[in-house]
């Protein structure tokens, strides 16, 4: 349970997971933010105004599935590193998962890295599809991975090297 | 010689920097005293991104927020910044004494804002004096200011925000964080910080504590054990964890000695983590002209400390008659921001603490 061990439950995740239909349409942001804390940079970050927070700054963020285009800007902006982008339309077998990353070394495009789940357990070796810097002062990297579709909702961190 | 000053701000952390900037931008002349060689307080080692809203620079890293606040203060012609300047005493005749360059300086400020921050608490257990046992703040300073890898294998005690954040920063520095243990039944810090650590493979054990530490001349390991619902150690649950460092992040307590000395009405408020000066809605203490802002008047986030500093700074400006209309607007805006920051479930503790302060203030008046 999240408040006991830091691992969100299936129920927590179900509350933020987009519908199958929406996932089939293209990339979308998933906010794994389950606690009412005073924080709202995600709402300002989104160029599509797809993330809202009502009634105030202590509410949980809500992604409008019709407005979100999965552009990934919010991934590096979230101070809690709690936003991920999943694209189930990448290929027949593979999905793209974008995670925020703040460790060295930063992996290179095409490099194979170890994917980890929300408990830090290894899920396999995956290819880095894209590496984007959050900028000089933001300093969070956005790493996009190619993963089998059945792991798109599981892979949430990486380990680079051994 | 006693030098007259208009506004004195004691402590150049987030609250003090914002207080100085607020009072000075309204037109007051401010002397800001900072004990350390560089201002910024704890912001100088906060490499993580801050929460809150735009007005508190949310999304920016603490270290950059600190740099920005310091730059604003340095560029403000109304602010005189004294670094390596330790305030030693506040006396009943209004004189404040400062140690600077081995000289004992005396000032008589019209208004004083105390923003001295907080100190880390410690934990008692057998062998807690072994080298290798640190406060989390020291470890963070070693890493993020000194550039020193503080440990190879560490156990963190405390899953509040400091314990979680410093654990994550140790991972970034290449330290093996074996476990985070938390005596309380639940994680106290932001769950997004906990989730970040957990998906990097760090187990968080709630309902656990340190039974004892061991080692010949330096720390070699700790015995952890589980606690029951009455916080009593459960025999038979001991776990031997070899490590070279134990990091304590078991809370902060206000550094309010100057307020005591100045004769401010002090109260012990558990929710604010210690003895705090009783302040009014302008953050003025029971002593006319002495204000308190930031952690010194109750442990909270740096975001709130910045807003409290701004509130106190503008309140002082109003009381001195500087740009009163606009300054009063800023005071009101800061109050609104604070109530917003504190309105969620995570603000419950601080709200309860502040309610007690309000009660005590009423008693003092009667």
């Amino acid at each position: 349970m999240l408040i006991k061990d830091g691992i969100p439950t299936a129920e927590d995740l179900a509350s933020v997971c987009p519908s199958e239909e929406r996932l089939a349409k293209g990339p979308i942001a998933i906010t794994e933010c389950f606690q009412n804390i005073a924080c709202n940079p995600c709402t300002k970050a989104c160029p599509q105004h797809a993330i809202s927070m009502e009634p105030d700054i202590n509410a949980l963020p809500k992604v409008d599935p019709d407005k979100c285009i999965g552009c990934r800007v919010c991934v590096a902006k979230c101070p809690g590193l709690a936003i991920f982008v999943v694209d189930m339309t990448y290929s027949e077998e593979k999905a793209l998962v974008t995670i925020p990353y703040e460790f060295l070394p930063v992996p290179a495009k095409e490099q194979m890295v170890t994917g980890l789940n929300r408990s830090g357990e290894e899920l396999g070796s995956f290819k880095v599809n894209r590496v984007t810097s959050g900028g000089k002062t933001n300093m969070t990297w956005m790493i996009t991975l190619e993963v089998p579709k059945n792991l798109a909702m599981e892979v949430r961190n990486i380990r680079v090297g051994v | 010689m006693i030098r007259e000053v208009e506004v004195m701000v004691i402590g150049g952390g987030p609250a003090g920097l914002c207080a100085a900037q607020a009072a000075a931008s309204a037109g007051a002349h401010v002397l800001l005293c900072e004990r350390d060689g560089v201002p910024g307080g704890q912001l100088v080692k906060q490499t993580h991104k801050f929460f809150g809203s735009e007005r508190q620079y949310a999304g920016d890293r603490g270290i950059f927020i600190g740099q920005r606040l310091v730059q604003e203060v340095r560029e403000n012609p109304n602010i005189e910044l004294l670094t390596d300047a330790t305030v030693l005493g506040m006396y009943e005749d209004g004189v404040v004494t400062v140690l600077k360059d081995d000289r004992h300086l005396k000032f008589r400020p019209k208004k004083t804002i105390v923003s001295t921050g907080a100190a880390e608490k410690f934990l008692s257990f057998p062998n807690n004096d072994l080298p290798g046992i640190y406060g989390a703040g020291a470890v963070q300073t070693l890493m993020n200011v000194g550039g020193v890898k503080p440990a190879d294998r560490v156990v963190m005690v405390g899953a509040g925000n400091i314990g979680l954040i410093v654990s994550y920063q140790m991972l970034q520095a290449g330290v093996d964080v074996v476990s985070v243990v938390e005596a309380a039944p639940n994680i106290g810090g932001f769950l997004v910080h906990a989730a970040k650590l957990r998906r990097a493979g760090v187990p968080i054990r709630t309902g656990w504590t340190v039974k004892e530490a061991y080692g010949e001349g330096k720390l070699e390991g700790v015995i952890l054990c589980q606690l029951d619902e009455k916080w009593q150690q459960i025999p038979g649950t001991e776990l031997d964890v070899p490590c070279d460092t134990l990091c304590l992040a078991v809370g902060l307590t206000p550094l309010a000695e100057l307020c005591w000395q100045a004769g401010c009405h002090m109260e012990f408020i558990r929710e604010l983590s210690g003895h705090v000066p009783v302040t009014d809605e302008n953050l003025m203490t029971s002593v006319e002209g002495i204000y308190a802002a930031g952690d010194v008047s109750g442990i909270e986030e740096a975001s709130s400390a910045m807003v409290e500093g701004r509130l106190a700074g503008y309140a002082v400006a109003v009381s001195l008659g500087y740009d009163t209309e606009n300054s009063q607007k800023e005071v009101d805006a800061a109050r609104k921001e604070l109530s917003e920051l504190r309105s969620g479930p995570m603000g419950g503790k601080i709200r309860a603490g502040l309610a007690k302060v309000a009660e005590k203030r009423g008693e003092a008046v009667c």
Side-chain angles (χ1 to χ4, degrees):
Chain A
M1 199 171 134
L2 186 55
I3 200 154
K4 301 276 179 198
D5 57 17
I7 308 169
T9 60
E11 212 169 83
D12 292 331
L13 296 169
S15 70
V16 295
C17 191
S19 67
E20 291 288 330
E21 299 80 64
R22 174 60 187 82
L23 285 168
K25 282 186 189 159
I28 183 166
I30 303 175
T31 54
E32 298 194 8
C33 178
F34 306 108
Q35 187 180 34
N36 298 87
I37 55 177
C39 183
N40 70 2
C42 57
T43 62
K44 310 269 180 210
C46 180
Q48 309 298 321
H49 308 292
I51 309 180
S52 60
M53 206 169 271
E54 292 302 330
D56 65 24
I57 188 170
N58 288 286
L60 299 181
K62 258 204 155 61
V63 177
D64 183 331
D66 299 324
K67 286 187 186 165
C68 176
I69 58 166
C71 72
R72 312 182 310 159
V73 165
C74 54
V75 173
K77 293 279 184 181
C78 169
L81 308 194
I83 307 183
F84 306 86
V85 169
V86 169
D87 180 4
M88 293 299 252
T89 64
Y90 177 61
S91 77
E92 201 62 40
E93 293 90 32
K94 292 203 168 136
L96 293 181
V97 175
T98 300
I99 61 156
Y101 191 66
E102 296 185 330
F103 290 85
L104 293 171
V106 177
K109 191 178 162 155
E110 309 286 324
Q111 189 178 336
M112 298 301 286
V113 297
T114 304
L116 307 173
N117 67 10
R118 295 181 186 86
S119 309
E121 294 157 348
E122 295 185 7
L123 295 172
S125 187
F126 308 114
K127 195 203 274 182
V128 174
N129 176 280
R130 198 171 161 188
V131 175
T132 316
S133 161
K136 246 193 264 175
T137 56
N138 176 282
M139 295 173 84
T140 301
W141 292 85
M142 291 161 274
I143 310 293
T144 303
L145 304 169
E146 295 175 15
V147 308
K149 280 188 172 167
N150 64 326
L151 293 179
M153 291 300 167
E154 300 297 320
V155 179
R156 286 299 176 267
N157 195 11
I158 56 168
R159 184 177 298 136
V160 182
V162 276
Chain B
M1 194 190 81
I2 297 175
R3 199 181 126 193
E4 307 284 330
V5 294
E6 205 161 27
V7 180
M8 185 172 206
V9 176
I10 305 173
L17 289 169
C18 290
Q21 177 65 14
S25 60
H29 290 269
V30 179
L31 178 72
L32 171 58
C33 290
E34 165 57 46
R35 179 174 67 174
D36 202 7
V38 283
Q42 303 307 305
L43 292 174
V44 301
K45 56 188 183 187
Q46 309 291 347
T47 54
H48 60 283
K49 288 183 275 194
F50 273 38
F51 295 71
S53 77
E54 231 170 0
R55 198 71 219 266
Q56 302 98 39
Y57 316 103
D60 288 359
R61 293 184 186 272
I63 182 167
F64 298 134
I65 297 173
Q67 286 170 4
R68 184 185 325 186
L69 297 179
V70 169
Q71 194 188 344
E72 281 170 7
V73 160
R74 286 195 196 281
E75 285 170 0
N76 194 318
N78 282 347
I79 301 174
E80 183 185 346
L81 174 63
L82 276 192
T83 51
D84 289 310
T86 306
V87 174
L88 300 175
M90 294 172 75
Y91 297 91
E92 56 270 30
D93 57 356
V95 172
V96 178
T97 60
V98 179
L99 182 68
K100 161 87 179 157
D101 297 333
D102 288 330
R103 284 190 309 144
H104 193 232
L105 308 178
K106 298 185 204 69
F107 298 93
R108 189 182 284 113
K110 281 197 186 115
K111 308 279 174 189
T112 304
I113 300 172
V114 181
S115 47
T116 42
E120 288 186 285
K121 291 185 192 167
F122 207 66
L123 198 62
S124 52
F125 53 87
N127 299 323
N128 69 358
D129 58 347
L130 280 172
I133 301 177
Y134 293 83
V139 160
Q140 208 183 21
T141 303
L142 274 174
M143 280 191 303
N144 298 352
V145 179
V148 175
K149 184 182 173 188
D152 286 322
R153 211 178 132 78
V154 68
V155 171
M156 173 65 76
V157 184
N161 272 339
I162 295 181
L164 297 173
I165 288 169
V166 174
S167 293
Y168 180 75
Q169 293 175 356
M170 281 195 283
L171 284 180
Q172 290 177 307
V175 176
D176 179 10
V177 182
V178 193
S179 183
V180 175
V181 295
E182 167 59 59
N186 291 325
I187 293 166
F190 291 169
L191 298 178
V192 284
H193 288 313
K196 238 161 54 173
L197 270 183
R198 187 60 248 205
R199 64 179 185 256
V202 178
I204 301 170
R205 299 171 190 275
T206 45
W208 283 73
T209 194
V210 184
K211 188 177 181 191
E212 61 180 84
Y214 63 86
E216 285 296 322
K218 62 177 172 36
L219 184 71
E220 288 166 16
V222 292
I223 309 290
L224 304 178
C225 78
Q226 234 170 328
L227 297 174
D228 64 20
E229 62 275 14
K230 287 177 181 153
W231 298 64
Q232 298 302 306
Q233 300 184 355
I234 305 174
T237 60
E238 290 83 359
L239 191 65
D240 184 342
V241 182
C243 58
D244 61 19
T245 301
L246 181 75
C247 205
L248 298 174
V250 292
L252 302 174
T253 192
L255 269 176
E257 290 85 347
L258 287 172
C259 297
W260 279 107
Q261 200 191 10
C264 301
H265 171 201
M266 305 292 289
E267 288 286 350
F268 182 85
I269 312 255
R270 190 175 53 85
E271 291 85 351
L272 302 179
S273 307
H275 280 95
V276 293
V278 174
T279 53
D280 66 12
E281 69 279 1
N282 286 327
L283 303 184
M284 191 167 84
T285 67
S286 62
V287 177
E288 178 67 36
I290 298 183
Y291 295 68
D295 275 359
V296 67
S297 53
I299 305 304
E300 222 183 327
E301 296 293 319
S303 320
S304 315
M306 290 188 276
V307 185
E308 280 205 346
R310 190 160 12 103
L311 199 169
Y314 279 114
V316 160
V318 170
S319 73
L320 290 170
Y322 283 108
D323 196 9
T324 42
E325 197 178 319
N326 184 59
S327 295
Q328 186 57 48
K329 265 189 206 152
E330 291 284 355
V331 166
D332 297 339
R335 269 193 211 127
K336 201 169 151 233
E337 266 175 71
L338 282 171
S339 68
E340 190 174 66
L341 286 174
R342 291 165 176 161
S343 66
M346 292 297 276
K349 199 170 145 195
I350 194 86
R351 289 199 303 272
L354 292 172
K356 284 188 188 173
V357 168
E359 229 171 80
K360 299 289 180 189
R361 192 167 67 222
E363 283 171 22
V365 172
C366 303

